[in-house]
C-alpha cells in the first residue's frame, strides 16, 4: 500500500497556514478546526459570564462542538492508527478527551445554576486543557499519523467522517479532490445509492416502470414503436401530442395508421429498413400552422437484426426561431 506523501516535518513547520496538506485531507480539516478553536478559546477567556452571560453561553456552546472532533479521532483516526500498530492515542488521548468532556459537563451545570463565581474559576481549566490537547495533536499525533498511515487510509477515513461531522460551517472538500470528468469519459463503477427494488436494468442505469412512463410522458416528443412484424406495440402519452393517438392503435398494423396518401412512403421506409439498406429517414411539414419534424429510425439488436422502427414527431417551430445565446434564467 502507498504511504502518505505528506511528511511529518511538513506539518510541524506549517501548522498555521497548512498550505502543504491538500484541502479535504482529514489533517487539513483538523487544522481548520484548530483555527476555529483558538478563536473561541480567546473569546471565552475575555468574556465575563456574569455581565455577558448570553455571549459566554453562545461561545461555550460553539466550543462544545469540539465533541465532533473528539468522535472523529476516536472512531476514525485512532482505529487506523491501531491497524498500523500505534495504540497510544487510543489509550492516552481518549482519556484526555473524557477529562475535557467532564469539564464541559461541570461548566454546563454551573451555567444552568448561574453560579458565575465557579464558572470564572473553572473556565481556565477547560481552556488550558484544550490548549494542551491541541499542542499534543500538532507536535505528536498528526505528524506521526501522516508518517504511519497510507493514502488509502486517509481516503477511507475522509469518507467515514461524513457520518460524524465537523466543527466547520460547511463540509470540507472530498479527498482526494474530485476532478471534473466529462460524462462520455466517466467509466467509474459506482455503488448504487438508490433502491433497485422493482427496477429493470437498462444499458446505462435502472428505472422502475413508473419512472419509465414518467420519462416518456415528459419528453417533448411523440414516439411510436412499430415492431419487426409491422405492428404498433407502443406510443407515449404526452401532455401535448403533435398527432392524436388512442389505445386502439396498439396491435394494429402500421399501414392502417396512416392516411392512404402516405401509406406508400411508410411501407417503403419499412422495406428499406428491414433489408438493411437504410437506417433513418426525415420529413418536416406544416401542420396547424406549426412546423413538425418527423423522423424514422430503424431499430436493430446487437447482431444487427431488424427489430422494428421508431417514429418520432416534434414541434420545432420555436426551436427553429432560436438565435444567438441564452445563458441565464428568465423565469421572472
Amino acid at each position: 500500500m502507498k504511504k502518505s506523501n505528506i511528511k511529518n516535518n511538513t506539518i510541524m513547520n506549517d501548522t498555521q497556514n497548512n498550505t502543504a496538506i491538500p484541502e479535504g485531507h482529514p489533517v487539513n480539516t483538523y487544522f481548520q478546526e484548530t483555527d476555529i478553536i483558538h478563536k473561541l478559546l480567546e473569546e471565552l477567556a475575555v468574556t465575563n459570564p456574569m455581565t455577558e452571560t448570553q455571549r459566554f453561553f453562545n461561545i461555550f456552546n460553539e466550543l462544545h462542538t469540539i465533541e465532533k472532533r473528539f468522535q472523529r479521532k476516536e472512531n476514525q483516526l485512532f482505529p487506523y492508527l491501531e491497524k498500523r500498530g500505534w495504540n497510544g492515542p487510543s489509550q492516552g488521548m481518549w482519556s484526555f478527551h473524557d477529562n475535557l468532556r467532564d469539564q464541559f459537563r461541570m461548566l454546563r451545570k454551573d451555567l444552568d445554576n448561574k453560579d458565575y463565581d465557579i464558572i470564572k474559576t473553572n473556565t481556565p481549566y477547560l481552556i488550558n486543557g484544550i490548549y494542551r490537547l491541541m499542542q499534543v495533536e500538532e507536535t505528536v499525533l498528526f505528524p506521526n499519523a501522516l508518517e504511519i498511515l497510507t493514502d488509502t487510509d486517509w481516503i477511507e477515513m475522509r469518507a467515514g467522517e461524513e457520518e460524524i461531522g465537523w466543527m466547520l460551517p460547511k463540509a470540507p472538500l472530498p479527498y482526494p479532490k474530485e476532478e471534473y470528468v466529462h460524462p462520455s469519459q466517466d467509466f467509474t463503477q459506482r455503488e448504487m445509492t438508490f433502491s433497485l427494488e422493482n427496477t429493470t436494468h437498462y444499458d446505462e442505469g435502472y428505472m422502475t416502470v413508473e419512472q419509465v412512463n414518467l420519462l416518456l410522458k415528459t419528453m417533448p416528443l411523440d414516439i411510436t414503436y412499430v415492431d419487426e412484424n409491422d405492428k404498433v406495440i407502443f406510443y407515449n402519452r404526452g401532455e401535448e401530442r403533435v398527432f392524436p393517438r388512442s389505445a386502439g392503435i396498439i396491435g394494429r398494423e402500421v399501414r392502417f395508421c396512416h392516411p392512404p396518401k402516405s401509406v406508400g412512403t411508410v411501407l417503403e421506409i419499412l422495406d428499406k429498413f428491414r433489408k438493411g439498406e437504410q437506417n433513418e429517414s426525415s420529413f418536416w411539414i406544416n401542420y396547424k400552422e406549426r412546423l413538425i419534424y418527423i423522423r424514422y429510425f430503424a431499430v436493430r439488436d446487437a447482431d444487427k437484426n431488424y427489430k422494428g422502427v421508431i417514429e418520432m414527431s416534434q414541434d420545432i417551430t420555436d426551436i427553429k426561431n432560436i438565435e444567438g445565446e441564452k445563458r441565464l434564467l428568465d423565469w421572472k
Side-chain angles (χ1 to χ4, degrees):
M1 299 174 72
K2 183 183 177 183
K3 281 288 188 72
S4 173
N5 56 9
I6 306 168
K7 298 301 183 181
N8 58 359
N9 60 342
T10 300
I11 190 170
M12 294 179 71
N13 294 331
D14 209 10
T15 56
Q16 294 304 316
N17 58 36
N18 198 31
T19 56
I21 304 173
E23 282 196 76
H25 189 289
V27 173
N28 182 290
T29 301
Y30 280 119
F31 275 98
Q32 289 185 54
E33 289 181 336
T34 296
D35 293 338
I36 294 173
I37 295 168
H38 275 289
K39 181 175 181 295
L40 292 172
L41 292 176
E42 292 169 2
E43 293 177 349
L44 194 68
V46 298
T47 302
N48 189 320
M50 182 178 294
T51 60
E52 302 174 278
T53 305
Q54 188 60 53
R55 174 176 167 78
F56 186 96
F57 185 75
N58 292 342
I59 297 170
F60 175 83
N61 282 339
E62 189 172 354
L63 181 62
H64 198 195
T65 62
I66 199 172
E67 175 63 26
K68 295 179 180 179
R69 180 185 181 95
F70 294 167
Q71 290 184 13
R72 290 205 319 279
K73 288 160 65 180
E74 294 165 356
N75 297 286
Q76 291 291 310
L77 179 57
F78 293 174
Y80 278 95
L81 294 175
E82 291 167 11
K83 292 178 183 178
R84 303 299 175 199
W86 190 24
N87 299 323
S90 303
Q91 299 167 0
M93 191 166 283
W94 199 316
S95 297
F96 210 148
H97 293 170
D98 287 341
N99 289 336
L100 291 172
R101 287 174 172 128
D102 288 339
Q103 292 183 40
F104 272 111
R105 279 193 289 269
M106 287 189 295
L107 269 173
R108 176 76 66 186
K109 184 178 180 181
D110 295 337
L111 283 167
D112 292 340
N113 295 332
K114 299 181 180 180
D115 197 339
Y116 300 117
D117 290 335
I118 296 296
I119 293 172
K120 291 180 69 174
T121 300
N122 289 338
T123 298
Y125 291 108
L126 176 66
I127 293 174
N128 291 334
I130 295 175
Y131 273 129
R132 288 197 304 272
L133 175 65
M134 290 192 296
Q135 182 180 19
V136 176
E137 290 175 345
E138 294 178 17
T139 59
V140 180
L141 178 65
F142 297 144
N144 282 286
L146 287 167
E147 183 67 23
I148 293 170
L149 300 181
T150 68
D151 283 339
T152 300
D153 292 334
W154 292 115
I155 292 169
E156 292 176 356
M157 194 185 309
R158 171 62 183 85
E161 290 180 344
E162 294 282 347
E163 189 173 348
I164 299 173
W166 305 269
M167 297 180 69
L168 307 179
K170 63 179 182 179
L173 295 175
Y175 180 75
K177 182 180 178 181
E178 292 182 347
E179 300 292 341
Y180 174 76
V181 179
H182 191 278
S184 64
Q185 301 298 319
D186 187 357
F187 303 106
T188 305
Q189 294 295 319
R190 292 178 172 84
E191 180 181 351
M192 296 298 102
T193 57
F194 50 87
S195 173
L196 299 182
E197 185 177 0
N198 299 322
T199 65
T200 298
H201 180 224
Y202 298 90
D203 281 352
E204 302 299 343
Y206 301 80
M207 288 195 293
T208 64
V209 171
E210 179 187 20
Q211 289 171 330
V212 172
N213 274 324
L214 289 172
L215 172 67
L216 292 167
K217 183 177 180 180
T218 305
M219 291 175 62
L221 302 167
D222 290 3
I223 300 176
T224 303
Y225 188 4
V226 178
D227 70 6
E228 63 269 35
N229 299 311
D230 297 344
K231 300 292 181 67
V232 177
I233 61 171
F234 170 85
Y235 72 92
N236 66 326
R237 190 187 295 269
E239 294 293 333
E240 297 183 9
R241 288 193 57 88
V242 175
F243 300 115
R245 292 281 189 270
S246 68
I249 197 176
I250 302 301
R252 193 177 187 187
E253 191 172 343
V254 70
R255 73 170 66 210
F256 300 119
C257 299
H258 291 267
K261 62 181 180 180
S262 61
V263 170
T265 301
V266 171
L267 294 180
E268 182 180 358
I269 291 171
L270 295 177
D271 182 60
K272 296 292 185 180
F273 283 1
R274 183 177 285 103
K275 292 178 179 178
E277 296 176 3
Q278 298 290 337
N279 286 303
E280 186 269 339
S281 183
S282 301
F283 306 88
W284 42 98
I285 63 173
N286 289 301
Y287 180 73
K288 296 182 179 180
E289 300 183 352
R290 306 294 290 180
L291 183 62
I292 310 303
Y293 190 32
I294 306 168
R295 307 179 73 185
Y296 294 86
F297 298 92
V299 179
R300 305 188 192 281
D301 63 18
D303 297 322
K304 305 299 182 181
N305 296 314
Y306 176 72
K307 291 296 181 179
V309 59
I310 295 290
E311 177 188 346
M312 297 174 57
S313 302
Q314 182 178 15
D315 183 339
I316 62 168
T317 307
D318 297 328
I319 296 174
K320 189 174 182 294
N321 292 329
I322 290 176
E323 294 181 351
E325 293 184 342
K326 175 184 175 183
R327 294 177 178 268
L328 301 175
L329 284 172
D330 58 357
W331 288 347
K332 293 183 180 181

